[in-house]
Amino acid sequence: MDGRATQQRRLALLALLGSAGDRGRSRDQLISLLWPETDPSDARQHLSHSIYVLRRTLGQEAVRTSGEYVRLSAAEVRVDMSDFRAAIGAGDPATAAAAYTGPFMDGFFIDDAPEFERWVESERQQLAAEYARCLEELGRGADGAGHHDEAAEWWGRLVSHDPYNSAAVVRLMDALASSGDPANAIQHAEEHIDLLQ
């Protein structure tokens, strides 16, 4: 494995551990996702060395092992995905929306690890859907309170996130018109029609 491929797998390992929270992941699961075609003893060696490198980079206490399980220490490593999901669990969509920084592992790819790629795509879709629900909840709340400028901001973020969401475009147009900006509402309508065509 060349240096770039090794580095990509270390980043993938970090993502897998970061997404697992306190429960962590078993070594077998990590190996099956990251080194599926590698001889099992070689794969275990790759995993052990990758853990060593992560500890050297992030701090000795950053990666914890307990028997067959590996996890990140929340006290040592902050994970935006964990912040996002914790805010959702606490019913705080504004904090969740602030924690979402874009599509999960956007543009990241490793060779010869199809299960990892499927996992990334599944996580990306799930996180994007949760983010969209947060924005919709915030937009509806601002609409209901009569805060049209704030509503326009939330609906605008949802439209940027999901440009094909016609319902969000209509809500954005309503918020813009109600806040005294009908020209911008019409412009959004025209852009959406062009996009759909």
Side-chain angles (χ1 to χ4, degrees):
M1 219 177 285
D2 66 23
R4 182 174 180 273
T6 299
Q7 184 65 20
Q8 286 175 308
R9 277 181 168 69
R10 288 180 189 145
L11 290 172
L13 173 61
L14 192 57
L16 286 163
L17 295 176
S19 71
D22 289 338
R23 70 185 180 280
R25 294 186 187 275
S26 73
R27 290 175 186 269
D28 286 343
Q29 183 184 30
L30 294 168
I31 287 168
S32 71
L33 288 166
L34 297 175
W35 295 279
E37 303 299 322
T38 306
D39 173 79
S41 73
D42 288 345
R44 281 195 168 268
Q45 192 172 26
H46 289 314
L47 176 59
S48 293
H49 186 69
S50 293
I51 291 169
Y52 166 78
V53 171
L54 289 180
R55 282 179 172 154
R56 195 178 66 204
T57 304
L58 302 173
Q60 286 301 312
E61 300 301 314
V63 181
R64 304 280 178 96
T65 56
S66 176
E68 277 297 296
Y69 281 81
V70 183
R71 68 178 178 84
L72 284 182
S73 168
E76 301 293 325
V77 182
R78 185 168 179 197
V79 179
D80 57 359
M81 180 193 297
S82 297
D83 294 344
F84 175 73
R85 289 197 164 136
I88 288 173
D92 185 353
T95 299
Y100 186 88
T101 57
F104 179 66
M105 300 194 79
D106 194 26
F108 185 85
F109 177 81
I110 58 176
D111 292 325
D112 304 322
E115 287 301 317
F116 174 78
E117 294 301 323
R118 281 190 277 279
W119 173 79
V120 167
E121 186 56 32
S122 174
E123 287 290 304
R124 183 180 297 138
Q125 289 175 4
Q126 184 180 19
L127 292 165
E130 290 171 353
Y131 176 61
R133 283 191 290 274
C134 287
L135 296 176
E136 184 173 349
E137 182 179 343
L138 291 162
R140 288 182 188 279
D143 278 338
H147 300 148
H148 304 299
D149 288 337
E150 183 184 340
E153 179 184 334
W154 294 122
W155 292 119
R157 284 176 66 177
L158 181 54
V159 168
S160 293
H161 173 68
D162 182 5
Y164 293 96
N165 186 333
S166 296
V169 172
V170 170
R171 298 300 292 258
L172 172 59
M173 291 167 55
D174 286 344
L176 288 168
S178 296
S179 67
D181 191 1
N184 204 2
I186 291 167
Q187 179 181 347
H188 277 284
E190 291 171 347
E191 288 172 358
H192 188 63
I193 290 167
D194 289 344
L195 179 66
L196 294 178
Q197 288 176 342

